[in-house]
Amino acid sequence: MNGAPTALFDSYEQDFHQFILTIGKKLDGDQSHERGEERKATLRRVDMELDEADEMVSQMEIETQGIPQSIRGTYHTRLRTAKAELARYKALLKEQRAAGARAELLVGSSATAGGYAPSDDPYGNGGDRARLLVGTARLEDGTRRLEESRRLALETEDQGADILMNLRTQREQIEHARSTLQTADSSIDRATGTLKKMIRQMYKQRVVTAGIIFVLVLLIGLIVWSKVT
């Protein structure tokens, strides 16, 4: 297994691009042959694949925190590109779902206008058009709300990433300060040991000096005693 700090990021990015390639074929390609439930099933599969791709982006964001500062900027750019691509396909999926829902409403309205309206509703055609307009307005309102939620989620993710980066920087500073304190503590221990040696040496010198003085006094006393006697 590659032990490089960017190996996992590269692996998640490769998986992300595989998901995006599959999603692009289903959303950007010509899907005119799909109708009704078949198209709905395709869009459900795309939704699940987008969730997987979103998970890959989350893992990539986590891995950027362990990448060295000297090259982290490049990987942040790649991460932002992946997020933008993911957001584009999420928006495209919403648009295609809304378009499918509108098409179903139009088909239902056409069938009613073709003679399938209840006989006891003299305003059947007008009622269907009103329901169609209300449904379309609700879909557009729901789409706007989803877009706003997505925008807030992206902003929250960016803020979370910035907070994680700040916390990592602070942790590095704390670790550096702790290392400095440990070095200072070692220096203080060495200085204390040196001072203790100097004090012991001083006491030894005092004992030697006192011994010499005692011997001299004794010799002087002996000399004086010998002269007197």
Side-chain angles (χ1 to χ4, degrees), residues 10-217:
D10 294 335
S11 176
Y12 288 129
E13 187 180 35
Q14 183 178 2
D15 293 341
F16 170 79
H17 286 306
Q18 289 177 354
F19 280 115
I20 287 298
L21 181 62
T22 303
I23 292 168
K25 289 179 180 178
K26 294 175 182 176
L27 294 181
D28 293 332
D30 183 10
Q31 303 297 332
S32 59
H33 61 281
E34 293 184 339
R35 290 290 185 272
E37 292 301 321
E38 183 181 4
R39 186 56 181 166
K40 287 182 180 179
T42 298
L43 294 180
R44 284 195 293 269
R45 287 193 296 271
V46 169
D47 195 10
M48 290 186 291
E49 289 167 352
L50 282 171
D51 288 339
E52 294 291 337
D54 198 357
E55 178 64 22
M56 293 300 101
V57 169
S58 298
Q59 294 297 328
M60 290 162 61
E61 186 169 9
I62 293 172
E63 290 304 318
T64 56
Q65 307 308 316
I67 295 176
Q69 290 280 0
S70 57
I71 59 174
R72 189 180 298 175
T74 300
Y75 285 86
H76 272 300
T77 301
R78 289 163 61 178
L79 177 62
R80 285 194 296 270
T81 301
K83 284 184 177 181
E85 198 168 7
L86 180 64
R88 184 176 75 85
Y89 279 111
K90 284 184 177 180
L92 184 58
L93 174 62
K94 293 187 183 96
E95 291 175 2
Q96 293 194 11
R97 278 182 167 169
R102 285 195 293 269
E104 288 184 356
L105 288 173
L106 289 173
V107 170
S109 176
S110 299
T112 304
Y116 298 101
S119 58
D120 58 350
D121 184 8
Y123 303 100
N125 292 341
D128 287 339
R129 284 194 294 271
R131 285 194 294 273
L132 176 61
L133 292 174
V134 171
T136 302
R138 287 179 178 175
L139 284 173
E140 291 176 351
D141 183 61
T143 301
R144 285 194 298 270
R145 291 182 180 181
L146 287 173
E147 288 295 329
E148 181 66 19
S149 299
R150 182 184 64 83
R151 185 182 64 80
L152 291 175
L154 290 175
E155 290 180 355
T156 303
E157 289 179 1
D158 291 338
Q159 291 175 358
D162 291 338
I163 291 172
L164 287 175
M165 290 180 63
N166 291 333
L167 289 175
R168 183 177 180 83
T169 301
Q170 291 175 4
R171 186 181 68 180
E172 291 175 352
Q173 292 174 350
I174 291 171
E175 289 177 350
H176 178 70
R178 183 173 62 184
S179 177
T180 303
L181 288 174
Q182 289 175 347
T183 303
D185 188 47
S186 299
S187 299
I188 291 172
D189 288 341
R190 288 195 298 269
T192 302
T194 302
L195 287 173
K196 288 180 179 179
K197 290 179 181 179
M198 293 174 64
I199 291 171
R200 285 196 297 269
Q201 188 66 27
M202 180 184 66
Y203 285 142
K204 288 179 181 179
Q205 290 178 355
R206 286 184 179 181
V207 171
V208 171
T209 303
I212 292 172
I213 292 172
F214 177 76
V215 171
L216 289 175
V217 171

